[in-house]
Amino acid sequence: MQWLADKSKHLTPSTFHLEVQKLQREVRIVVVHIKAAFHEETTGELEQLGIRTLEIASPGPPYIF
């Protein structure tokens, strides 16, 4: 569904990975705003990217940066 992500200015796991590769150093990455209907599929794809500092946000707890 890359066409829909492009049109709505969102990222897919593959375009997200391209953006992460632009980082100059390792940083904590917290993923938010995943479409509920595709949450399980999307989180699985994100985990397969092998990004050590990747964290899928959970609703409720505060995140302090």
Side-chain angles (χ1 to χ4, degrees), residues 25-54:
R25 62 184 177 89
E26 190 171 88
V27 296
R28 179 181 180 201
I29 300 169
V30 181
V31 177
V32 298
H33 195 67
I34 298 173
K35 285 188 175 288
F38 301 101
H39 191 272
E40 189 174 318
E41 178 183 355
T42 302
T43 56
E45 291 176 9
L46 288 168
E47 289 169 356
Q48 288 178 359
L49 296 175
I51 302 169
R52 280 186 341 110
T53 60
L54 180 78

Side-chain angles (χ1 to χ4, degrees), residues 1-2 4-20 22 31-35 42 45-46:
M1 296 197 333
Q2 185 65 55
L4 181 57
D6 292 341
K7 187 173 183 98
S8 62
K9 307 289 189 219
H10 287 121
L11 299 173
T12 63
S14 58
T15 55
F16 170 79
H17 193 234
L18 292 173
E19 293 301 315
V20 169
K22 295 177 184 178
V31 177
V32 298
H33 195 67
I34 298 173
K35 285 188 175 288
T42 302
E45 291 176 9
L46 288 168

